Amino acid sequence: MTKIKIHLADDHQVLIDGLTNLLQTVSKFEIVGSSLNGVTVYDDVIQDQADILVLDISMPQKDGIEVLKEFNQKGLPCKVIILSSYDDLKIIKEVMKLGAKGYLTKKCAGENMIEAIEAVYEGQEYFSDAVREKIFSMFSQNNPKLNKNVYIENPILSPREIEIVTLICLEYSGKEISEKLFISVNTVETHRKNIMKKLNIKNTIGLVKYALKNNLINE
């Protein structure tokens, strides 16, 4: 059986020990190493040949965002799940732009970590419920912070597709989108499939991540 190699980076040894004890209950997981400060994380991960890095955002000497920037500069050696005490939208958006594949708050890490690692290893993205709610709140109908330059900045999608992405992220149903844009439900579904294919994504959270990374909204 192929093991999923996991490296843990957090400045609290007690948290590393707790996560190690939890993850060792899964036979296909292997804890290959740990880091207590941000400075050594990149070299440690390379040495351990880790598949997954669980990275605390508040590391000493070099924080999680700086570590992700280093990974981007040198080449991402593994998939990263951010672990944080905060669910601040600016931090979430920044780490998503830098390539993090998952984001968990520490208060839910125990119940979600195993599922997150499995999902991220399989090529999916994983966000805890609180983080997911924060992301979707950015698309609130009462304050849709749409970027007026979106059509110039995002040549991959047509103006119509941008409208549909936005409405999907606002959690409109296919019928509601069709009524709002004066098109058929079948046309909405065709656009949705084309958008997913163009962007190579599988679900709504993927659309939200694309919107965040490509500045379809203003903060």
Side-chain angles (χ1 to χ4, degrees):
M1 178 178 62
T2 301
K3 295 276 190 176
I4 301 175
K5 297 179 180 180
I6 303 163
H7 186 94
L8 304 174
D10 193 284
D11 60 332
H12 294 97
Q13 186 65 50
V14 66
L15 190 142
I16 289 176
D17 292 343
L19 285 177
T20 298
N21 290 336
L22 170 68
L23 299 177
Q24 283 178 338
T25 64
V26 182
S27 60
K28 62 182 174 181
F29 289 173
E30 179 182 359
I31 309 302
V32 293
S34 62
S35 305
L36 289 170
N37 69 74
V39 173
T40 65
V41 172
Y42 185 86
D43 290 338
D44 291 344
V45 166
I46 293 295
Q47 181 177 332
D48 294 337
Q49 297 182 317
D51 301 306
I52 301 287
L53 167 64
V54 178
L55 175 64
D56 182 10
I57 201 73
S58 301
M59 296 288 284
Q61 297 179 273
K62 181 182 286 187
D63 66 29
I65 290 176
E66 291 177 301
V67 171
L68 280 173
K69 288 178 179 177
E70 180 181 11
F71 276 29
N72 275 270
Q73 291 168 357
K74 296 180 177 179
L76 288 168
C78 64
K79 296 172 181 176
V80 180
I81 298 172
I82 293 295
L83 189 60
S84 176
S85 300
Y86 312 103
D87 56 5
D88 182 89
L89 274 173
K90 289 185 178 180
I91 296 175
I92 295 167
K93 183 175 180 179
E94 181 70 12
V95 299
M96 288 169 70
K97 284 186 174 182
L98 290 171
K101 299 299 182 183
Y103 195 111
L104 300 177
T105 55
K106 288 187 176 181
K107 63 183 179 182
C108 71
E111 59 186 281
N112 295 136
M113 184 59 72
I114 291 173
E115 185 178 2
I117 290 172
E118 291 176 334
V120 169
Y121 181 75
E122 294 297 328
Q124 302 171 40
E125 293 155 354
Y126 191 96
F127 302 92
S128 60
D129 290 342
V131 173
R132 193 183 298 262
E133 287 174 11
K134 281 278 186 177
I135 292 172
F136 279 113
S137 74
M138 207 177 276
F139 292 89
S140 167
Q141 286 179 295
N142 296 324
N143 188 21
K145 304 174 182 179
L146 300 181
N147 188 331
K148 294 178 181 178
N149 298 317
V150 64
Y151 305 117
I152 298 173
E153 296 175 1
N154 292 270
I156 294 175
L157 299 181
S158 69
R160 174 63 85 193
E161 288 170 335
I162 291 293
E163 289 178 315
I164 290 174
V165 167
T166 302
L167 292 171
I168 290 173
C169 290
L170 284 166
E171 300 186 86
Y172 277 63
S173 69
K175 184 174 184 295
E176 289 170 333
I177 293 173
S178 73
E179 291 172 352
K180 190 172 183 66
L181 299 182
F182 304 103
I183 56 179
S184 70
V185 174
N186 287 339
T187 300
V188 173
E189 181 60 20
T190 298
H191 277 304
R192 189 189 66 79
K193 288 179 179 178
N194 289 339
I195 291 165
M196 296 290 192
K197 186 175 181 180
K198 279 186 179 182
L199 302 181
N200 192 29
I201 56 181
K202 299 177 182 179
N203 51 38
T204 303
I205 197 68
L207 286 178
V208 173
K209 182 175 180 182
Y210 175 82
L212 290 172
K213 288 180 70 174
N214 291 275
N215 298 313
L216 303 197
I217 58 171
N218 290 317
E219 295 192 72

